[in-house]
Amino acid sequence: MPDAYILGIESSCDETAAAVVRSGEQVISNVVASQIATHQPYGGVVPELASREHLRAIVPVVRQALAEAKQTYDSVDAIAVTQGPGLAGALLVGISYAKALAFALDKPLIAVNHLEGHIHAVLLDLSQDQLSQNQLSQNHERQKGNHELQFPVLALVVSGGHTHLYLARQNDRSWIYENIGHTRDDAAGEAFDKVAKLLGLGYPGGPVIDRLSPHGNPNAVKFPPAQIKHADRRGRKDGRSVELVSDSNDDHPRFDFSYSGIKTAIVRYVEAHNMRKGIDARRKALSQIAKPKLEDYLARCDRRTLDLVASFQRAIVGDLVGKTLAAARAYDVATLFVTGGVAANQELRQTFEREGAKEGLPVYFPSRPLSTDNAAMIAAAAFPKFQVKDFAPMDFSAEAGLALR
Ligand code: KG4
Ligand code: ZN
């Protein structure tokens, strides 16, 4: 089959993104317009503002992606767009524009699940150029070309909105997915964001906590229990806590997550140690700096705060790695993918690499710039669909709660 150039469009949350990807693997261009500055004053994504910003950004972002790829509207082979899950109003901006392009240009339109996009981000190759443009050369990213991939693949998708474990298999060229775990409450990235907000560290929280954690003692604060438990009233009439891993039948064990408890534990810790005043002062001081650097954060964090941050990250990482590797053993998978915004986290990458190696399990991540939301991953996930002509009808719509199968 000749090379296929797919234009990907992504607008599910707070990033307006467009990219051109060759044959599902080679990123030719990757443009991401972030709305962080718009949402920062509110400490989280405001859906109405997100839609408005997508409307403003979508046309220039797509034009830039085509120009950087030295492609034109006419030269691309297909247009791929995120159908869901995500914010309905935000998704609709990308979908409407993609439909208009596909209709006007008479090109195939491909609807992609955002989570499948995150999984396929692992297969993408950023050119050295693009890596140095992004000034990122990390040790722990090892993307894998489709051809060498061993199935079944276990994929942990861990982001601001999702903490999911998928078992992925290939049927002919198409990928099929089985969800074998998800969060019962907060997503892991959401926990990072909420804890950072709580400690006056701003938004989004993941990158800040990632950079501050090496400066604290990860063993200073214990969050019981290491295996985070959850009151599961479906399984037990008495409503007592049960181990999440045991809530399933033997053939299809489930590995669910729960991160709202640790957030509550941090609220209690803050109250018990009278940290409130210091937090308010830090929040105020940091809000007056346009782009705070690591030194700015460090100068405004006392030892107790740094220890708390490091201990929180260690607890989340330990839980994600522990449950994911237990799932990998239970389903005897050949390969592990770790992807989504939280997969950019250094400690998470290092711990997965180390623990995966002990079990002889190959672990792959997207390059760090492709861990968070982008459109290259949407174009990549569209490629197998392009090959089998799995095109979307013109009347398909956004699905805020779209499941991956
Ligand atoms: O995949 P993504 O860009 O958007 C969603 O689909 O949600 O993920 C964003 C999430 C945010 O919660 C952010 O705090 C988290 O990923 N994140 C990180 C890091 N970079 C982004 N969490 C931990 N460590 C990081 N380095
Ligand atoms: Zn995402």
Side-chain angles (χ1 to χ4, degrees), residues 2-9 18-31 65-66 68-71 75-80 110 117 120-121 123-127 130 146 370 374-384 386:
D3 279 333
Y5 289 81
I6 299 184
L7 169 66
I9 297 176
V20 177
V21 173
R22 183 171 60 221
S23 302
E25 279 187 22
Q26 192 65 46
V27 181
I28 312 295
S29 67
N30 180 39
V31 179
L66 288 170
E68 285 181 12
K70 302 195 172 50
Q71 294 281 324
S75 68
V76 293
D77 295 294
I79 292 155
I110 301 169
H120 284 255
L123 306 174
L124 284 168
D125 232 5
L126 273 184
S127 66
Q130 286 162 322
N146 230 335
L370 296 175
N374 64 83
M377 68 188 201
I378 302 303
F383 182 61
F386 178 80

Side-chain angles (χ1 to χ4, degrees), residues 57-121:
I58 189 99
V59 175
V61 163
V62 170
R63 278 199 188 132
Q64 191 185 337
L66 288 170
E68 285 181 12
K70 302 195 172 50
Q71 294 281 324
T72 63
Y73 288 112
D74 280 315
S75 68
V76 293
D77 295 294
I79 292 155
V81 66
T82 307
Q83 181 180 14
L87 301 168
L91 289 162
L92 277 174
V93 176
I95 292 175
S96 309
Y97 190 53
K99 280 185 184 173
L101 284 180
F103 182 73
L105 303 166
D106 198 18
K107 304 275 181 193
L109 180 63
I110 301 169
V112 175
N113 185 305
H114 181 83
L115 302 171
E116 184 170 25
H118 275 302
I119 292 171
H120 284 255

Side-chain angles (χ1 to χ4, degrees), residues 10 12-13 114-115 118 157 159-162 340-341 371-374 377:
E10 151 68 37
S12 68
C13 190
H114 181 83
L115 302 171
H118 275 302
V157 184
S159 72
H162 312 278
S371 295
T372 49
D373 287 351
N374 64 83
M377 68 188 201

Side-chain angles (χ1 to χ4, degrees), residues 220-239:
V221 186
K222 295 280 173 230
F223 294 103
Q227 180 78 274
I228 298 172
K229 290 181 185 172
H230 181 96
D232 188 342
R233 286 171 196 83
R234 286 182 314 169
R236 297 183 67 130
K237 290 205 174 62
D238 59 8

Side-chain angles (χ1 to χ4, degrees), residues 353-367:
E353 290 236 314
R354 190 185 63 230
E355 298 303 313
K358 282 186 195 160
E359 308 203 8
L361 181 67
V363 186
Y364 300 105
F365 308 91
S367 61

